[in-house]
Amino acid sequence: MKLKGAATLKCESCDEEMTIDASTFDDFENVNVGPERGMGVEVTHTATFYSSCDKCNTEISGDFIYIEYPPGSFNYEGLESVTNAEVKSTILTAL
């Protein structure tokens, strides 16, 4: 699985806006395989990014989450757990 696109973040320390693109993220990992449900298991894939603000050097990180349920079918994707920044916009998607 690959990530495509970019997101705009605003540093919470200095209000500087920055863009992170898909190349900033680590490779996807299967971080959670849920228990068996009616249509199989729920599988969560996560790709993490680590960056710093260009203006004040505050460390910024977050996770792109992709969930399959039932297995092989798209259920949810989104940028979550972002620390030290506000997500202004995102056009990230998993392929």
Side-chain angles (χ1 to χ4, degrees), residues 9-88:
L9 307 176
K10 184 169 107 174
C11 177
E12 290 179 347
S13 295
C14 70
D15 292 334
E16 180 76 5
E17 286 197 5
M18 60 186 281
T19 299
I20 55 166
D21 66 18
S23 67
T24 308
F25 288 79
D26 295 339
D27 291 337
F28 276 96
E29 296 180 13
N30 290 350
V31 295
N32 185 23
V33 176
E36 182 71 28
R37 293 177 23 195
M39 295 184 292
V41 295
E42 180 178 279
V43 180
T44 302
H45 307 271
T46 300
T48 301
F49 80 91
Y50 302 95
S51 189
S52 60
C53 176
D54 293 332
K55 185 175 179 182
C56 71
N57 289 324
T58 295
E59 292 182 6
I60 298 170
S61 63
D63 297 317
F64 185 85
I65 307 294
Y66 182 89
I67 298 175
E68 296 177 48
Y69 180 74
S73 297
F74 168 78
N75 181 270
Y76 169 81
E77 66 180 6
L79 188 56
E80 296 185 354
S81 304
V82 177
T83 58
N84 300 321
E86 173 188 349
V87 178
K88 298 299 286 183

